[in-house]
Amino acid sequence: MSVPRRRLRGIAAAALAAGLVLSAAACSASDGDSGEGGQSTIVLQYFGSPGFDAAVAAFQSANPDIKVDAQNMGELKDFTPKLNQWLATGQGAGDVVMLEEGTLLGYLETPDKWTNLLDLGAASLEADFLPYKWANGFTADKSKLVGLGTDIGGLAMCYRTDLFQKAGLPTARDEVSKLWPTWEQYAATGKRFKESDAVKDVAWIDTATAVMQPYIMQNSQTWFYDTNNNYIVEQNPIVREAWDFGLQMASDGLTGKLQRWQPDWNAAFANAAFATVPCPAWMTGSIAERAGDAGKGKWDIATIPGGSGNWGGSYLAIPEQSKNKEAAYKLLTYLTGKDGELSSYKEKGNMPSNVKALDDPAFKDSTNEYFSNAPTGEIFGASAKSLKPIYLGPKHQGIWENHFETEMRNAEQGKKTSDEAWAKAVADGKKLAEG
Amino acid sequence: MSVNTHAAGMPRHAASPPPLDPGQRRKQARQVRLGRLDLKMSPYLYVAPFFILFAVFGFFPLIYTGWVSMREWGLIKGDQGFVGLQNFQEVLADANFWNAMLNTFGIFVVATVPQLLLALMLANWLNRKLRFRTALRMGILLPNITSVAAVGIVFGFIFADRYGLANWVLQSLSLDPVSWRGSRWASWTAIAFMVDWRWTGYNALIYLAAMQAIPRDLYESASLDGASPTRQFWQLTVPLIQPTILFTVIISTIGGMQLFTEPLMFNYGAAGSGSGLENFQTIAMYIYTTTFEGNFKYGLGSAMSWLLFMLIIFFALINFLLVRRSLKGSVK
């Protein structure tokens, strides 16, 4: 009969009711693991434009019992923090997620968050992949295979034939390739280009930072880290060499001083504000998207100065938290298999890392209509098998994007001297690498 | 028991109350108890949602953040153990943190001072007899209800360096284009535009409400004494709504210290780590980037959050003291 206890009970009941409402609201968001009618749903999360649409559709019609929920997570920088939170909390990540080369090694440091693809039968696929691409998917002790390769970044140089013509330069891709066997000759051609009044508002290259990746990847086997994950950028003369070369082009007035992946850069494509851009295979899709129909047929592809190298490329992995690993593995091996990678290539120009796809006539004899029917299979394929892999290290992408690229742009835009910017980038990069 | 029945409204002196059988009596007693319970409990029940929500989304995170701030904790690697105040030491020695602090204060001052002045003018204008008064009053709140992300994206395009609207206007006036993200003042100004666009109307409505509480006859006698409208505004309206002004200052301070979305969208969604954004990275952005990008230092980010929390408390206290003083002053 005691009233206080009843009151407590009442409060408890009210609190419980409110709590239930709250938790029900919280739960309902994460439901939806299983579809109807015995169909299981697999969530695929990717960034950028990997060209999975047709491949996913083909996979679904071949596997009617699996429904693929393909989620485009925006650019890499949008996806990375989200994926990290999902891995940290143990829920939210898709069944198959895409990992970029520059961030992959960071994820390999927490192998317990990932499914070992060897357990699902991936061992037999070794011969299908380029050796370095296969090897990079493993954890440091080689016991666990976390990811299988999607695309790789075979290198080329994309250029605008209409601007070349205005400036009095040759426009045929073979002749253009002969203009720049080396980076020095590339810069010299840029100066010739700038001498023409017909193109005086046009930059030779979009930004000084654009030469860093190809230049370093051609000339060094390491970048910020050595293979023991020590931060060694100051002992790597190639990085400073590339930095100085890029900024020299800037002070010669050859660069557009743009920031990649931002609205101004996108608009610059539409406005034909620069004549050349180093383009890994996956970049061709990005260029076509940005330059739009107006640029169709005005772009072409020549070889890159300085020989072959690799720039970017991704992996697909299965987070340990996935509830349907078998079906996830089916999707993963389809997308990284011959048919899946050829489909990505056809859709967005992403170059296969799967050897069977690389050897297929559908890749080898392919041309790109947008780029004046350039024989892309031949141009990109030529460098693919002779690639020297470069070791990137766990926090490569963050060090590059947040510190070196930003500081180099500060120097390019004249906000800092080259030495000031370099010192700041080295110090902040060290803090990130060793912190 | 008898008191209970009495309270239920059954007169004791009723001529011949029909004898109640035990079942009915129990039922009646239960209803009475429920009635009393209802009377005492309902108010708690009605206010409970706020307290429960606050406990779950306010108080608990606050305490938990405090706990995490004293631990070495990587977001993905997990808890690495207790480190005491080491995180706080590290934050206080971090030049990027102080840089973010400077930016936060700078943007706060550049945004808030013109914003409140403008709101005051707007409120004074709306306080007059105008046509379409209600429509106008509602209209000035419109910017506030648009999504901040949408605002940020649109303003990000307006203040783009190369192909932005603002620079296009400047150039068509034959002025030099401004590198909006390239200098401290330019970026602060651009962000202040976004903040003010959203919040001026909101503050104006609060001022308007306060102004409407001022008795009309004060203005009438001021007019009879020959005071001009401008003088009435500065010497009558502004002093009389001073407590409201201080309230908006407190609210703007709290909002300003937590500024995040506008500068983030201004940088096209990149919170960056340190060096890239030295001109306009705010504390909230630095907390985000420390915790969720780069090194994923959950403990360090929590320490920063706590410092920010204490800073806001500090400013709220100062404001509170000012309000009290000004109220005392107005009573005299």
Side-chain angles (χ1 to χ4, degrees):
Chain A
M1 184 78 8
S2 84
V3 177
R5 185 181 292 169
R6 283 185 158 267
R7 191 181 293 171
L8 274 179
R9 213 182 286 168
I11 293 172
L16 187 69
L20 281 176
V21 171
L22 283 175
S23 57
C27 286
S28 61
S30 62
D31 277 353
D33 271 357
S34 55
E36 64 257 32
Q39 226 188 13
S40 57
T41 300
I42 291 298
V43 176
L44 165 70
Q45 290 166 337
Y46 62 87
F47 56 85
S49 21
F52 284 155
D53 293 352
V56 163
F59 175 78
Q60 281 200 118
S61 53
N63 295 278
D65 55 324
I66 301 174
K67 188 174 172 297
V68 179
D69 177 7
Q71 302 175 349
N72 184 343
M73 312 305 295
E75 299 295 345
L76 175 63
K77 72 173 163 51
D78 305 316
F79 182 44
T80 305
K82 283 190 197 120
L83 179 62
N84 291 328
Q85 287 168 52
W86 292 329
L87 292 175
T89 53
Q91 57 183 13
D95 298 287
V96 179
V97 299
M98 190 164 138
L99 304 176
E100 217 273 341
E101 213 175 62
T103 57
L104 174 75
L105 285 161
Y107 292 116
L108 293 180
E109 288 188 332
T110 48
D112 54 321
K113 303 281 183 197
W114 303 101
T115 306
N116 189 353
L117 300 179
L118 295 175
D119 294 346
L120 295 166
S124 61
L125 299 173
E126 179 167 1
D128 289 0
F129 288 90
L130 290 172
Y132 89 93
K133 193 79 178 175
W134 170 262
N136 283 356
F138 279 88
T139 53
D141 62 1
K142 305 287 168 212
S143 66
K144 201 165 184 176
L145 180 68
V146 169
L148 285 181
T150 55
D151 61 320
I152 56 172
L155 286 173
M157 182 68 81
C158 294
Y159 67 100
R160 282 195 73 123
T161 50
D162 54 337
L163 296 176
F164 269 52
Q165 189 169 17
K166 273 188 197 169
L169 291 174
T171 55
R173 63 185 75 92
D174 291 340
E175 289 171 60
V176 170
S177 298
K178 279 181 204 146
L179 289 174
W180 53 56
T182 67
W183 284 102
E184 284 68 28
Q185 283 158 312
Y186 170 77
T189 313
K191 284 181 198 159
R192 262 176 73 196
F193 177 83
K194 291 297 290 182
E195 277 164 15
S196 163
D197 278 343
V199 290
K200 66 176 166 36
D201 291 333
V202 181
W204 177 238
I205 183 173
D206 56 341
T207 155
T209 63
V211 299
M212 287 288 273
Q213 313 241 13
Y215 192 101
I216 294 169
M217 288 174 168
Q218 286 164 347
N219 293 304
S220 177
Q221 268 143 47
T222 58
W223 189 330
F224 299 121
Y225 290 90
D226 67 11
T227 47
N228 297 318
N229 290 342
N230 298 309
Y231 183 70
I232 49 126
V233 67
E234 281 174 297
Q235 288 96 59
N236 189 348
I238 297 297
V239 180
R240 181 68 200 232
E241 206 178 293
W243 171 287
D244 289 339
F245 176 74
L247 290 181
Q248 182 60 47
M249 289 213 304
S251 57
D252 291 342
L254 300 178
T255 67
K257 303 184 180 179
L258 290 154
Q259 183 169 356
R260 293 201 147 188
W261 312 109
Q262 301 226 328
D264 264 346
W265 187 65
N266 299 345
F269 275 104
N271 287 308
F274 49 83
T276 66
V277 52
C279 55
W282 48 262
M283 181 80 96
T284 56
S286 302
I287 293 173
E289 269 172 33
R290 286 168 175 79
D293 287 340
K296 194 170 181 181
K298 291 181 179 157
W299 285 90
D300 207 331
I301 307 176
T303 56
I304 189 132
S308 77
N310 182 42
W311 176 357
S314 295
Y315 287 81
L316 289 178
I318 302 175
E320 187 58 43
Q321 57 187 270
S322 165
K323 294 204 175 63
N324 199 344
K325 296 192 175 101
E326 295 291 333
Y329 180 72
K330 257 191 191 171
L331 175 65
L332 190 154
T333 45
Y334 181 79
L335 290 178
T336 57
K338 183 181 124 184
D339 294 341
E341 296 204 348
L342 283 174
S343 165
S344 290
Y345 175 71
K346 203 174 159 200
E347 201 172 308
K348 291 285 178 190
N350 290 298
M351 187 174 158
S353 64
N354 189 306
V355 184
K356 284 181 185 160
L358 283 171
D359 289 338
D360 196 277
F363 171 76
K364 271 177 143 176
D365 304 338
S366 64
T367 56
N368 191 322
E369 197 194 343
Y370 191 91
F371 290 85
S372 315
N373 291 316
T376 37
E378 191 186 312
I379 294 172
F380 291 117
S383 60
K385 288 187 182 171
S386 59
L387 273 185
K388 288 171 295 177
I390 175 165
Y391 184 80
L392 292 179
K395 285 166 193 158
H396 171 84
Q397 201 68 20
I399 297 172
W400 163 244
E401 275 181 21
N402 293 328
H403 300 302
F404 277 81
E405 189 179 20
T406 322
E407 288 301 335
M408 189 171 174
R409 197 167 48 243
N410 281 341
E412 181 187 10
Q413 294 177 354
K415 288 176 214 155
K416 289 182 181 176
T417 68
S418 169
D419 285 340
E420 277 167 12
W422 174 263
K424 176 98 170 117
V426 168
D428 283 347
K430 189 184 174 78
K431 220 164 109 183
L432 180 55
E434 294 171 0
Chain B
M1 265 309 132
S2 63
V3 181
N4 281 355
T5 24
H6 181 65
M10 203 204 261
R12 198 181 282 190
H13 57 264
S16 51
L20 297 169
D21 66 69
Q24 271 177 313
R25 270 174 66 179
R26 267 204 301 280
K27 196 174 159 195
Q28 210 168 38
R30 196 166 68 230
Q31 275 171 348
V32 168
R33 278 200 304 273
L34 274 176
R36 289 182 65 195
L37 200 67
D38 179 35
L39 209 65
K40 293 200 163 149
M41 283 297 307
S42 303
Y44 291 104
L45 210 64
Y46 295 141
V47 297
F50 167 76
F51 285 99
I52 291 166
L53 285 176
F54 176 75
V56 174
F57 294 107
F59 191 69
F60 171 71
L62 191 68
I63 299 302
Y64 191 70
T65 305
W67 186 66
V68 174
S69 73
M70 287 189 250
R71 306 183 75 80
E72 174 85 37
W73 193 319
L75 196 61
I76 299 182
K77 282 180 189 162
D79 190 1
Q80 315 275 310
F82 181 79
V83 291
L85 294 178
Q86 197 185 305
N87 283 326
F88 288 91
Q89 278 171 356
E90 199 175 321
V91 173
L92 294 176
D94 180 358
N96 287 333
F97 176 75
W98 292 108
N99 178 58
M101 193 80 110
L102 173 72
N103 288 334
T104 310
F105 273 99
I107 296 171
F108 164 65
V109 172
V110 173
T112 307
V113 175
Q115 177 193 124
L116 296 184
L117 281 175
L118 198 63
L120 210 53
M121 306 287 174
L122 259 178
N124 193 46
W125 175 64
L126 286 172
N127 198 22
R128 296 194 203 138
K129 285 197 164 56
L130 293 165
R131 300 181 68 182
F132 315 117
R133 201 164 51 176
T134 316
L136 283 172
R137 284 177 184 174
M138 282 165 67
I140 61 165
L141 202 64
L142 274 180
N144 192 251
I145 57 172
T146 43
S147 147
V148 55
V151 174
I153 290 169
V154 172
F155 275 78
F157 282 111
I158 292 177
F159 293 109
D161 284 354
R162 188 72 57 91
Y163 300 103
L165 182 65
N167 274 343
W168 178 77
V169 169
L170 285 178
Q171 277 166 312
S172 50
L173 297 172
S174 342
L175 295 167
D176 283 337
V178 176
S179 165
W180 291 105
R181 287 154 197 80
S183 91
R184 213 160 227 152
W185 284 107
S187 57
W188 286 3
T189 309
I191 293 167
F193 264 103
M194 285 186 231
V195 177
D196 290 354
W197 192 79
R198 277 193 82 216
W199 292 103
T200 307
Y202 173 84
N203 285 317
L205 277 195
I206 294 178
Y207 289 151
L208 182 62
M211 284 175 187
Q212 302 226 304
I214 301 173
R216 289 275 137 199
D217 48 359
L218 280 177
Y219 289 103
E220 275 162 29
S221 40
S223 296
L224 286 177
D225 289 344
S228 68
T230 321
R231 193 154 168 199
Q232 286 179 25
F233 174 69
W234 287 112
Q235 300 206 320
L236 209 60
T237 312
V238 170
L240 282 171
I241 63 165
Q242 207 180 19
T244 313
I245 294 177
L246 280 159
F247 166 77
T248 56
V249 170
I250 297 179
I251 295 295
S252 308
T253 314
I254 295 176
M257 291 296 111
Q258 299 178 23
L259 194 64
F260 178 70
T261 318
E262 284 94 347
L264 185 78
M265 287 296 152
F266 181 60
N267 204 37
Y268 306 115
S273 307
S275 61
L277 295 151
E278 49 206 352
N279 291 326
F280 59 93
Q281 186 180 49
T282 62
I283 300 184
M285 286 165 91
Y286 194 48
I287 291 174
Y288 176 81
T289 175
T290 306
T291 315
F292 298 113
E293 295 183 348
N295 283 323
F296 316 120
K297 289 181 164 174
Y298 192 16
L300 201 65
S302 298
M304 282 183 209
S305 304
W306 254 84
L307 285 174
L308 179 61
F309 171 65
M310 288 191 278
L311 197 74
I312 291 174
I313 295 277
F314 175 72
F315 276 103
L317 271 178
I318 290 182
N319 285 325
F320 175 71
L321 292 176
L322 284 174
V323 175
R324 247 192 13 182
R325 249 179 82 186
S326 87
L327 281 179
K328 264 187 205 152
S330 62
V331 167
K332 272 176 208 161

